[in-house]
Amino acid sequence: MTKEYKLNVETPKSFSFVKRDIPEVTIEQREEALKKTHYNEFAFPAGMLTVDMLSDSGTTALNDRQWSAMFLGDESYGRNNGYYVLLEAFRDCFERGDNQKKPVELILTGEKDIDKLMEELYLCEYEGGFFNGGASQLERPNTFLMPQGRAAESMLFEIVRNILNERYPEKQFIIPSNGHFDTTEGNIKQMGSIPRNLYNKELLFETPEGGEYEKNPFKGDMDIEKLEQLIETVGPENVPLIYTTITNNTVCGQAVSMNSIRKTAEVAKRYNIPFMFDAARWAENCYFIKENEDGYKDKSIPEIAKEMFSYCDGFTASLKKDGHANMGGVLAFRDKGTFWKNFSDFDKDGNVTNDVGIRLKVKQISSYGNDSYGAMSGHDIMSLAVGLYQCCDVNYLSERVGQCQYLAQGFYNAGIKGVVLPAGGHGVYINMDEFFDNKRGHDTFAGEGFSLELIRRYGIRVSELGDYSMEYDLKTPEQQEEVANVVRFAVNRSMYSKEHLDYVIAAVKALYEDRESIPNMRITKGHNLPMRHFHAFLEPYPNEEK
């Protein structure tokens, strides 16, 4: 007899991309689907869910200006209109601060004056930043449009690996970060290098008195002492890149302070190591800096972003987050900066003989199409260009972060142990070790059991980002200490109402009170696959009571 799980709260009836009805699905139907998809949460049919919080990547509800811009999408194969306005949107949001030009308005208003378009859009020359323009982008390409962030990471690490292998055959390298996310870590491993996550775990899992800090303590910061110690121990010649993820997704979506970014950049410069961002949630991080770091309260999001990006040598970004759009990614590096110098080849007179930007562009064209669309459609590019400006809106960011805070406080007030506070900007995380009273071992993958049981009982899908996904059992002892055994509840932008969040709070409270019955899981296939959580098979331990 299948047990029923009733909640004293109304089940949500819809959520919206514009609007989608939620079907009635029984526990038996969800059990059958789980078994037939080998208990892989990514493979569970979305149409059978009540609330889907697996990821905030590409799940945004677009705003009205984005929908209208999509109708003006230019699907030309070479140098579509969107290419020009997207690069200008990048310059506006990352480099110009309050002096934005917003030439996207030329397209949105149907400008017909060709001389004006040539002067203000098509033939503008830029160099020296992250986004060369005109002939400079052809001569020294440094901006690469991608369909999503992991494509940018894959291309970057493949070319870096090839260059390092040419110079130092069969040598292994270490790439430190405040917290590599799963795809970044997977791509680093596939290039034969070792990812390290250097943050303060004790601070991360500290619970503030009463559940709230007066100011965000920036738990996502790089541990600068650990970084310097690592570089000195292995030698700077064995550290080809230093990464900072903003916000720090692996470390529970926690914010990174400008002070930490500045100090990390100083360390990188001292050792002549390129300093890179995983900038998927740059706008949320700027918001946290504005709200919590001294000296930034009166600054705009673009002004904070301008300073933030001034410290790095390059960045990758999934542009499916932060309210950007449903599709898009980018890789960029500073024109003639440290990354370009370290990974390009020069003759004895200092002339470049093998430009890393050209190598990246060859890979981009061979794998993703012409450089002016990078595997995105013209209407996706226009949606992305407009969405970047939405990310500069403090009111939008405040509402988004506020939803995460509401969910986190709801868990905390319900007495659920392990809630990571304060909430990040895109989701809420629960420490599974504390949730299970430290009674489950690292080999039980109990966090994945929690995720799957949440699907089975209540039709809520979340993402395990702990011992299972971050491959605790495949890491060195040093790396194991850097794993945060958590589950993430991603809060999709402009998707959920208070009703949805209350349903999730009630479901997790009920599951917490019955946590002893949550099954442990074991991997039956794909144990050693790269980024195994996307495609491995699991099953509950035999005879495990549900």
Side-chain angles (χ1 to χ4, degrees):
M1 177 88 50
T2 301
K3 185 177 178 181
E4 292 291 329
Y5 301 94
K6 298 291 186 181
L7 301 176
N8 294 320
V9 64
E10 185 178 354
T11 301
K13 297 298 188 291
S14 68
F15 65 84
S16 67
F17 286 106
V18 175
K19 177 179 174 63
R20 192 182 95 190
D21 291 335
I22 295 174
E24 293 185 7
V25 183
T26 65
I27 291 176
E28 291 82 2
Q29 288 170 326
R30 288 196 291 263
E31 283 180 341
E32 182 181 359
L34 283 168
K35 290 175 183 177
K36 290 190 174 180
T37 55
H38 297 286
Y39 293 92
N40 184 300
E41 62 189 352
F42 287 86
F44 190 87
M48 295 177 66
L49 294 168
T50 304
V51 181
D52 192 354
M53 308 182 89
L54 179 66
S55 176
D56 67 320
S57 181
T59 58
T60 179
L62 303 180
N63 64 39
D64 52 356
R65 285 179 60 82
Q66 286 178 291
W67 280 109
S68 63
M70 288 172 70
F71 284 99
L72 297 174
D74 173 9
E75 305 298 340
S76 300
Y77 192 89
R79 292 300 185 270
N80 58 82
N81 284 335
Y83 167 80
Y84 296 103
V85 299
L86 180 55
L87 262 61
E88 287 286 5
F90 287 149
R91 295 177 188 118
D92 276 346
C93 294
F94 300 152
E95 294 183 331
R96 289 178 178 147
D98 289 336
N99 298 313
Q100 295 184 342
K101 294 184 177 181
K102 294 187 178 180
V104 66
E105 299 296 336
L106 293 172
I107 303 302
L108 297 179
T109 57
E111 180 61 60
K112 300 296 184 184
D113 186 331
I114 294 299
D115 287 334
K116 185 178 180 67
L117 290 168
M118 289 172 65
E119 181 182 350
E120 298 184 20
L121 193 64
Y122 296 152
L123 301 182
C124 294
E125 288 288 330
Y126 297 99
E127 60 181 345
F130 292 114
F131 316 103
N132 283 349
S136 296
Q137 186 62 243
L138 296 172
E139 296 159 3
R140 296 187 310 282
N142 68 340
T143 309
F144 309 91
L145 303 184
M146 293 280 122
Q148 57 182 353
R150 72 189 61 178
E153 293 170 348
S154 177
M155 188 172 81
L156 170 67
F157 290 123
E158 179 181 333
I159 297 303
V160 166
R161 178 199 65 198
N162 292 345
I163 292 170
L164 292 175
N165 284 347
E166 291 166 8
R167 297 175 180 178
Y168 317 102
E170 300 183 10
K171 187 176 181 180
Q172 193 173 53
F173 297 88
I174 294 175
I175 299 180
S177 174
N178 61 336
H180 294 294
F181 197 51
D182 57 355
T183 58
T184 321
E185 187 167 292
N187 278 303
I188 290 171
K189 286 180 178 179
Q190 290 179 81
M191 71 174 273
S193 293
I194 300 172
R196 294 292 303 274
N197 297 326
L198 310 178
Y199 64 98
N200 188 333
K201 185 184 281 191
E202 185 177 341
L203 174 64
L204 174 66
F205 290 141
E206 173 188 272
T207 302
E209 185 177 350
E212 293 187 71
Y213 290 97
E214 184 177 343
K215 280 194 173 185
N216 190 302
F218 294 104
K219 295 182 177 184
D221 281 359
M222 178 82 78
D223 189 317
I224 302 299
E225 185 176 337
K226 287 181 183 178
L227 176 63
E228 292 182 303
Q229 185 179 34
L230 175 68
I231 295 171
E232 287 293 334
T233 300
V234 304
E237 69 278 7
N238 295 311
V239 182
L241 301 168
I242 295 173
Y243 252 86
T244 282
T245 305
I246 48 175
T247 54
N248 195 339
N249 196 358
T250 295
V251 183
C252 303
Q254 294 295 301
V256 182
S257 67
M258 192 74 82
N259 182 53
S260 175
I261 291 169
R262 189 183 301 115
K263 287 183 177 180
T264 306
E266 290 171 359
V267 172
K269 185 176 182 180
R270 190 187 320 144
Y271 292 103
N272 193 40
I273 302 171
F275 178 36
M276 309 291 285
F277 283 163
D278 175 349
R281 297 177 178 87
W282 64 274
E284 293 167 17
N285 204 76
C286 289
Y287 176 81
F288 284 119
I289 290 172
K290 178 179 176 65
E291 293 296 307
N292 298 283
E293 194 163 358
D294 292 342
Y296 292 94
K297 182 178 180 180
D298 296 327
K299 292 191 176 184
S300 68
I301 297 300
E303 277 295 311
I304 295 170
K306 179 182 178 181
E307 179 181 347
M308 193 166 67
F309 281 90
S310 74
Y311 295 121
C312 73
D313 297 298
F315 64 93
T316 58
S318 168
L319 299 175
K320 299 169 67 177
K321 281 86 169 173
D322 247 354
H324 296 118
N326 297 134
M327 186 57 67
V330 66
L331 161 64
F333 60 84
R334 192 175 302 281
D335 185 28
K336 297 184 178 180
T338 305
F339 176 85
W340 179 79
K341 292 175 183 175
N342 284 15
F343 289 100
S344 296
D345 295 323
F346 301 86
D347 63 22
K348 59 183 177 60
D349 297 319
N351 301 309
V352 64
T353 58
N354 203 348
D355 190 309
V356 64
I358 297 296
R359 295 183 70 156
L360 286 164
K361 186 172 178 179
V362 169
K363 178 63 181 178
Q364 178 194 34
I365 292 172
S366 62
S367 299
Y368 302 103
N370 191 31
D371 62 334
S372 59
Y373 69 91
M376 284 189 287
S377 66
H379 61 268
D380 279 329
I381 291 173
M382 288 298 294
S383 173
L384 173 55
V386 172
L388 279 160
Y389 293 105
Q390 176 181 244
C391 294
C392 298
D393 184 346
V394 170
N395 293 326
Y396 162 76
L397 292 169
S398 177
E399 179 183 1
R400 170 153 172 69
V401 171
Q403 279 201 310
C404 295
Q405 292 171 341
Y406 178 86
L407 182 61
Q409 287 300 314
F411 287 156
Y412 178 82
N413 293 334
I416 298 163
K417 289 184 180 179
V419 184
V420 177
L421 298 167
H426 75 281
V428 176
Y429 294 67
I430 297 178
N431 175 1
M432 288 289 105
D433 294 334
E434 191 172 349
F435 183 93
F436 287 107
D437 303 308
N438 294 297
K439 294 179 179 178
R440 307 284 182 108
H442 292 293
D443 60 343
T444 64
F445 301 134
E448 185 65 12
F450 167 91
S451 299
L452 293 164
E453 196 66 0
L454 201 56
I455 291 175
R456 188 181 78 87
R457 298 190 192 189
Y458 305 114
I460 300 169
R461 179 164 60 179
V462 297
S463 180
E464 191 273 358
L465 293 173
D467 289 343
Y468 170 58
S469 296
M470 304 312 291
E471 303 173 354
Y472 181 93
D473 49 310
L474 302 178
K475 293 182 181 292
T476 64
E478 294 88 354
Q479 290 174 303
Q480 287 177 341
E481 288 298 315
E482 297 162 5
V483 173
N485 187 23
V486 294
V487 166
R488 180 187 69 185
F489 294 72
V491 179
N492 303 334
R493 297 165 298 285
S494 306
M495 285 273 290
Y496 294 131
S497 65
K498 179 176 177 294
E499 180 185 37
H500 294 94
L501 301 182
D502 286 341
Y503 177 77
V504 173
I505 293 166
V508 175
K509 182 177 187 293
L511 194 56
Y512 176 72
E513 292 170 350
D514 193 30
R515 60 193 179 281
E516 295 296 329
S517 72
I518 296 174
N520 296 322
M521 303 300 295
R522 69 179 179 188
I523 301 171
T524 60
K525 186 177 181 181
H527 184 276
N528 295 321
L529 284 172
M531 293 174 276
R532 67 188 181 192
H533 52 300
F534 286 100
H535 42 183
F537 297 170
L538 302 102
E539 68 179 11
Y541 276 173
N543 304 318
E544 193 78 38
E545 183 182 353
K546 291 185 179 179

